């Protein structure tokens, strides 16, 4: 490794090119993985030294090679991370550069040590107050950030803020970008584990000490204390001076998590997610690369960070579909995390109360070790689950809650306990139409109906974000006040509760209302202070929360997830309902769950009501085996899109016409995707279903590389797809 390299092959990041060869200039020493400045045409771009030798048949004579321009002052990407990048690109049929970009995910970090100027309020007043200045000063209370970031926070122009700086209302503060994080203390507050938890924690900690690849499935019912249990191996890794990565599915989870982490380790962990400020991002990235960041808690993008000495990964709520990235490189962070542990040689814990069938299958076949926590901590009982057959117990006309469910809420109200109603639909109603002419409001960019949001008086598309004010009259026939809402969303359910139980204090908990860590914290505090009686929420509230006074959970429409009917619909419904049911009765009071359905006989619903998880999983496993679906067979989809309908159709046809004939591999389509238009692009898809023995990625690469398309056409490959729209 210490051999001096004279020419190197570099992965150039900001270009759609394969690796390029460069000369190492006299006096420069590079290592594999080093991040370097590469000349490309008239520009200089970021590259990573990927190989020492050129591959045969590509020799550009040495005198024709251009020289590297310089080195970035950061540690080289370690060898196992480079292997992970290669594996990911290969497995998900993505370019190396697009995967490597996820590892170098902070442009600022490349520049080396630095300080920046941030600004904060001084408490002074401007000579002349304007509405804009006043609004800015209110919004910036307690904030400190760069002018540009403050302008985003306050919603005023940078010019307004510069004016305030000149007036002495804002003052500059020099900030060291790399100031160290406080040290986490593995023994800050040890908790007393139950025997069951202790046994599990010991298995994990021993594996951390072993420093070898060891994948675990931590299968514990809701409320069993999975977090407390996996905090022990986290502490063990810290004692050994190794880093830990905890992946969480959604950022809304972290408020609750951060609090528990701080209670256990005395400090906040290092956070990583998409809405970090660029300075925070840079600071975290550099601390990860230097080894100073001890525990990183992050969303899936944290997976490719260049840890110096990672010793453990925990994937919490590992069954969550949000670990699957649905654009760019379509990878599944849960699966790639296991590969990372494999390449680097350390244990990984996948924690869940409702593991993915794929993970259970891996445990079954002995590849993962399964560790169980079969009972709730502190003797709390799992809730009683019952179904309400909506065909028998019909809600009143124009309403959505059966009387038995409303009575259940009323009982809780009387006892001063809380209820949660779960419906995975934001907004007031999923469809809005004109009573007079039947006109339906559709998104101009997507094959989707617009969803009415009464709080904000807007119609919104949940796919592309398109928004318009709710019209006072029909767009089509001009009739005033004629819009009718069809079907319920959470806002409508909240209205219904308010109408039928006027004394109840109702809160709608969705990504619209809990859209920042601060809002989420306020919500938790309000529930804990019993200022809320009934929570009406989407899947955002199905996990992570621990409210001891919450004793009733109502599932408003358990059939919703089963519509559309992709092969994972049953599993997803099971997981979602089991998770939300797990919010009930977590304290000393017993919990009850009422599931509203039109199909109480469906195997998912029956298994939920009977609390018979094994029955559900084995039925589901057989169904997947018969269908050749994962984990028994494999799927991949190819999505062809363009802003031009004819162009998309033609490109899809050409791909379809050149389909390879491969044994044990079926190729369906092309057909218009169920979401035939998305964000203004027309979409066609092909679906492949193959036996595990087929080298599916090679087949796809060979096939697609033979066809050229007009520049407006995008061809996306999705290996092990979760989304079938
Ligand atoms: P899960 O993630 O398995 O649903 P949690 O980790 O959220 O369960 O634990 C449920 C509740 O029980 C939490 O409030 C947690 O603090 C508490 N708990 C679990 N184990 C212990 C323990 N050993 N000592 C004290 N409290 C515990
Ligand atoms: Zn849209």
């Amino acid at each position: 490794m210490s051999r001096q390299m004279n020419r190197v092959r570099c992965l150039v990041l900001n270009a759609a090119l394969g690796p390029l060869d460069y000369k190492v200039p006299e006096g420069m020493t590079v290592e594999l993985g080093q991040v370097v400045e590469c000349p490309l045409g008239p520009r200089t771009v970021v590259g990573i030294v990927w190989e020492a030798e050129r591959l045969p048949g590509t020799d550009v004579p040495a005198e024709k090679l251009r020289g590297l321009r310089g080195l970035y002052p950061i540690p080289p990407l370690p060898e196992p991370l480079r292997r992970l990048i290669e594996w990911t690109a290969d497995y998900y049929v993505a370019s190396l550069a697009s995967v490597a970009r996820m590892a170098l995910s902070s442009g600022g970090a490349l520049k080396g040590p630095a300080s920046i100027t941030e600004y904060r309020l001084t408490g002074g007043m401007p000579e002349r107050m304007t509405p804009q200045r006043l609004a800015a000063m209110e919004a910036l209370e307690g904030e400190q950030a760069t002018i540009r970031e403050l302008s985003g926070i306050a919603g005023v122009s940078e010019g307004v803020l510069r004016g305030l700086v000149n007036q002495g209302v804002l003052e500059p503060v020099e900030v060291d970008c790399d100031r160290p994080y406080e040290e986490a203390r593995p023994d800050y507050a040890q908790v007393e584990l139950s025997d069951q938890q202790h046994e599990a924690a010991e298995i994990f900690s021993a594996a951390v000490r072993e420093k070898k690849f060891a994948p675990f499935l931590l299968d514990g019912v809701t409320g069993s204390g999975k977090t407390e249990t996996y905090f022990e191996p986290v502490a063990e890794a810290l004692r050994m001076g190794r880093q830990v990565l905890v992946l969480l599915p959604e950022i809304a989870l972290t408020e609750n998590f951060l609090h528990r982490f701080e209670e256990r380790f005395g400090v906040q962990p290092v956070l990583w997610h998409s809405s970090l400020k660029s300075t925070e991002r840079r600071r975290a990235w550099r601390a990860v690369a230097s080894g100073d960041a001890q525990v990183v808690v992050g969303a899936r993008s944290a997976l490719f960070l260049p840890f110096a000495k990672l010793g453990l990964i925990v994937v919490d709520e590992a069954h969550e579909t949000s670990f699957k990235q649905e654009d760019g490189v379509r990878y599944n962070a849960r699966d790639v995390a296991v590969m990372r542990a494999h390449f680097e040689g350390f244990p990984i814990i996948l924690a869940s109360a409702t593991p993915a069938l794929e993970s259970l299958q891996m445990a079954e076949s002995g590849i993962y070790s399964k560790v169980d926590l079969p009972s709730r901590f502190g003797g709390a009982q799992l809730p009683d689950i019952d179904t309400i057959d909506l065909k028998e117990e019909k809600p009143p006309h124009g309403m959505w809650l059966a009387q038995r469910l409303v009575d259940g809420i009323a009982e809780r109200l009387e006892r001063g306990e809380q209820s949660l109603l779960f419906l995975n639909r934001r907004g007031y109603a999923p469809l809005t139409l004109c009573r007079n002419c039947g006109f339906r409001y559709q998104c101009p960019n997507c094959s989707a109906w617009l969803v009415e949001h009464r709080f904000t008086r807007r119609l919104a598309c949940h796919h592309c974000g398109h928004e318009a004010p709710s019209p006072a009259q029909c767009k089509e026939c001009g009739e005033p006040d004629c819009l009718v809402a069809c079907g319920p969303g959470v806002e409508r359910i909240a209205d219904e509760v308010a109408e039928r139980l006027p004394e109840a204090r109702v809160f709608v908990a969705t990504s619209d209302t809990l859209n920042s860590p601060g809002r989420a914290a306020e919500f938790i505090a309000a529930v804990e202070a019993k200022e809320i009686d009934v929570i009406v929420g989407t899947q955002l509230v199905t996990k992570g929360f621990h409210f001891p006074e919450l004793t009733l959970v109502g599932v408003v429409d358990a059939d919703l997830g089963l519509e559309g009917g992709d092969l994972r619909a049953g599993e997803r419904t099971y997981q979602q309902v089991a998770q939300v049911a797990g919010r009930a009765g977590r304290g000393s009071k017993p919990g009850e769950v009422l599931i509203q359905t039109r199909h109480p006989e469906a195997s998912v619903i029956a298994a939920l009501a009977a609390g018979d998880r094994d029955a559900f999983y084995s039925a589901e496993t057989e169904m997947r085996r018969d269908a050749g679906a994962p984990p028994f067979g494999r799927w991949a989809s190819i999505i062809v899109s363009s802003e031009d309908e004819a162009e998309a159709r033609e490109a899809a046809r050409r791909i379809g016409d050149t389909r390879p004939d491969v044994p044990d591999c079926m190729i369906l389509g092309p057909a218009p995707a169920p979401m035939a238009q998305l964000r203004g692009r027309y979409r066609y898809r092909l679906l492949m279903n193959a036996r595990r023995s087929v080298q599916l990625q090679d087949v796809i690469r060979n096939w697609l590389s033979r066809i050229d398309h007009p520049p407006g056409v995008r061809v996306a490959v999705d290996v092990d797809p979760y989304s079938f729209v």
Side-chain angles (χ1 to χ4, degrees):
M1 183 54 60
S2 57
R3 186 168 52 96
Q4 174 61 32
M5 295 186 282
N6 299 322
R7 48 187 291 168
V8 288
R9 174 158 280 215
C10 290
L11 188 58
V12 177
L13 287 199
N14 27 359
L17 301 166
L20 299 174
D21 290 346
Y22 289 95
K23 188 165 62 192
V24 181
E26 204 73 30
M28 184 190 281
T29 312
V30 297
E31 282 178 60
L32 290 176
Q34 192 109 47
V35 183
V36 290
E37 298 174 11
C38 301
L40 186 69
R43 295 182 300 149
T44 301
V45 297
V46 177
I48 304 169
V49 177
W50 211 254
E51 290 168 57
E53 305 290 337
R54 62 195 186 275
L55 297 175
T58 57
D59 26 7
V60 181
E63 61 280 7
K64 289 226 171 137
L65 287 181
R66 299 179 75 181
L68 293 175
R69 294 251 161 87
L71 310 178
Y72 287 98
I74 53 173
L77 296 190
E79 197 261 346
L81 178 56
R82 299 197 313 271
R83 277 176 72 195
L84 185 77
I85 292 170
E86 285 175 344
W87 182 88
T88 306
D90 190 57
Y91 188 88
Y92 292 104
V93 195
S95 74
L96 270 177
S98 62
V99 181
R101 264 200 297 272
M102 299 196 289
L104 292 180
S105 43
S106 163
L110 301 181
K111 297 198 188 88
S115 68
I116 51 150
T117 310
E118 294 188 333
Y119 292 82
R120 65 180 175 208
L121 292 173
T122 58
M125 296 298 271
E127 276 168 33
R128 192 172 52 84
M129 187 60 96
T130 65
Q132 273 194 324
R133 284 181 171 177
L134 184 63
M137 288 170 65
E138 273 173 9
L140 298 184
E141 195 62 57
E143 300 285 351
Q144 176 177 317
T146 62
I147 289 287
R148 176 192 289 183
E149 287 157 350
L150 290 179
S151 135
I153 295 168
V156 300
S157 73
E158 295 182 27
V160 170
L161 297 182
R162 300 221 177 269
L164 289 175
V165 175
N166 292 337
Q167 302 258 320
V169 177
L170 286 173
E171 66 179 354
V173 191
E174 279 307 302
V175 182
D176 171 9
C177 295
D178 299 323
R179 63 202 178 285
Y181 292 95
E182 260 185 278
E183 216 163 297
R185 291 147 62 185
D187 302 304
Y188 177 77
Q190 204 113 32
V191 291
E192 183 101 21
L193 295 182
S194 70
D195 288 350
Q196 208 181 65
Q197 292 174 334
H198 179 75
E199 211 173 294
E202 263 314 301
I203 295 173
F204 300 142
S205 295
V208 169
R209 288 191 291 272
E210 282 254 308
K211 299 193 196 174
K212 284 206 200 100
F213 174 56
F216 292 101
L217 178 59
L218 172 56
D219 185 358
V221 298
T222 54
S224 58
K226 293 187 284 298
T227 317
E228 257 72 22
T229 304
Y230 72 65
F231 273 171
E232 291 315 303
V234 171
E236 191 66 8
L238 290 178
R239 288 184 205 108
M240 294 167 63
R242 312 219 32 193
Q243 294 169 289
V244 178
L245 169 62
V246 179
L247 289 177
L248 296 177
E250 265 154 68
I251 225 52
L253 268 178
T254 55
E255 202 51 36
N256 174 39
F257 182 87
L258 295 182
H259 178 71
R260 283 174 71 174
F261 187 92
E262 194 169 0
E263 284 194 335
R264 174 65 180 79
F265 295 104
V267 297
Q268 295 249 326
V270 177
L271 269 182
W272 184 270
H273 55 79
S274 57
S275 41
L276 287 184
K277 293 192 294 183
S278 64
T279 46
E280 293 168 327
R281 181 169 277 271
R282 176 210 135 87
R283 179 183 176 208
W285 195 95
R286 291 180 63 87
V288 165
S290 69
D292 290 341
Q294 296 167 287
V295 182
V296 175
V297 174
R300 59 171 185 255
S301 60
L303 179 58
F304 289 95
L305 288 172
F307 288 90
K309 42 182 184 179
L310 197 52
L312 172 69
I313 298 181
V314 178
V315 184
D316 205 347
E317 309 285 2
H319 61 279
E320 271 293 314
T321 51
S322 63
F323 283 119
K324 176 71 178 14
Q325 175 148 306
E326 294 294 357
D327 52 16
V329 183
R330 291 163 191 251
Y331 67 100
N332 186 323
R334 179 190 72 219
D335 298 341
V336 181
V338 174
M339 290 314 291
R340 181 156 195 174
H342 171 68
F343 287 138
E344 292 185 35
F346 55 72
I348 175 165
I349 302 170
L350 309 180
S352 174
T354 51
L357 208 123
E358 284 86 344
S359 304
L360 276 177
Q361 191 62 31
M362 294 294 263
E364 198 110 301
S365 50
I367 299 170
Y368 295 174
S369 314
K370 193 150 152 329
V371 176
D372 294 329
L373 293 176
S375 52
R376 280 190 159 178
F377 176 75
Q381 292 301 305
L382 283 167
D384 273 333
I385 303 183
D386 201 2
T387 50
I388 294 179
D389 184 346
L390 290 175
K391 295 188 306 271
E392 308 279 324
E393 301 179 52
K394 289 201 177 79
H397 181 72
M399 304 218 175
W400 313 95
L401 305 176
Q403 192 56 43
R404 181 144 60 102
L405 182 49
V406 176
D407 291 345
I409 301 173
E411 251 174 64
R412 294 333 185 271
L413 269 178
E414 240 159 66
R415 296 208 293 260
E417 296 169 10
Q418 295 163 317
S419 307
L420 165 65
L421 293 176
F422 167 68
L423 176 65
N424 208 14
R425 256 196 202 145
R426 290 157 53 210
Y428 187 82
L431 171 65
T432 304
L433 51 78
C434 171
R435 183 182 297 125
N436 191 41
C437 74
F439 178 75
R440 296 168 165 205
Y441 285 82
Q442 196 183 350
C443 175
N445 314 316
C446 307
S447 323
W449 307 121
L450 292 179
V451 176
E452 184 185 3
H453 287 244
R454 288 225 173 148
F455 287 167
T456 52
R457 302 228 178 104
R458 294 178 90 74
L459 296 178
C461 171
H462 289 175
H463 299 279
C464 72
H466 169 87
E467 276 194 1
S470 290
Q473 57 193 60
C474 175
K475 232 169 89 177
E476 191 70 10
C477 69
E479 185 82 3
D481 285 331
C482 62
L483 296 186
V484 270
C486 299
V490 280
E491 291 179 9
R492 193 169 197 180
I493 297 298
D495 276 5
E496 182 177 333
V497 174
E499 193 180 323
R500 295 171 76 176
L501 300 169
E503 70 282 18
R505 293 162 302 175
V506 186
F507 184 84
V508 175
T510 67
S511 54
D512 299 309
T513 57
L514 304 181
N515 50 13
S516 72
R519 290 273 197 87
E522 278 170 31
F523 165 67
I524 292 170
V527 178
E528 283 174 351
K530 289 212 195 177
E531 290 159 14
I532 294 173
D533 302 311
V534 183
I535 305 164
V536 184
T538 54
Q539 47 91 26
L540 202 62
V541 293
T542 58
K543 52 200 168 270
F545 293 112
H546 180 75
F547 299 132
E549 294 296 323
L550 202 158
T551 56
L552 174 66
V553 166
V555 177
V556 176
D557 185 352
D559 309 332
L560 196 60
L562 295 171
E563 289 164 10
D566 76 63
L567 264 166
R568 280 198 184 82
E571 183 186 5
R572 239 184 347 247
T573 297
Y574 187 88
Q575 289 166 337
Q576 218 165 46
V577 175
Q579 285 287 337
V580 70
R583 295 315 104 198
R586 292 170 72 93
S588 51
K589 298 172 183 160
E592 182 185 5
V593 180
L594 291 172
I595 302 174
Q596 297 199 134
T597 174
R598 262 165 234 90
H599 306 287
E601 72 295 341
S603 73
V604 191
I605 310 283
L608 281 162
D612 194 350
R613 195 180 90 164
D614 292 347
F616 171 71
Y617 274 114
S618 53
E620 193 70 8
T621 304
E622 283 324 300
M623 194 268 283
R624 295 263 193 106
R625 201 193 298 274
D626 289 346
F632 306 102
R634 303 187 50 201
W635 284 331
S637 63
I638 299 170
I639 301 137
V640 185
S641 70
S642 164
E643 289 179 11
D644 183 276
E645 211 287 325
E647 196 175 74
R649 180 162 19 97
E650 173 59 16
R653 190 192 57 75
R654 294 210 302 141
I655 292 176
D657 286 352
T658 55
R659 76 185 63 211
D661 189 8
V662 180
D664 295 329
C665 175
M666 193 165 61
I667 302 175
L668 306 168
M675 206 59 175
Q677 194 191 8
L678 183 63
R679 293 185 201 97
R681 299 182 71 84
Y682 293 88
R683 306 164 76 238
Y684 281 79
R685 59 184 301 147
L686 297 100
L687 189 61
M688 307 173 75
N689 181 211
R691 291 238 180 135
R692 295 199 69 86
S693 53
V694 175
Q695 296 296 315
L696 197 55
Q697 286 87 346
D698 291 344
V699 171
I700 298 172
R701 247 188 302 267
N702 286 335
W703 175 17
L704 296 184
S705 66
R706 293 196 305 261
I707 316 166
D708 284 323
H709 298 288
V713 170
R714 234 183 268 155
V715 179
V717 176
D718 194 352
V719 176
D720 304 341
Y722 271 65
S723 162
F724 291 84
V725 300

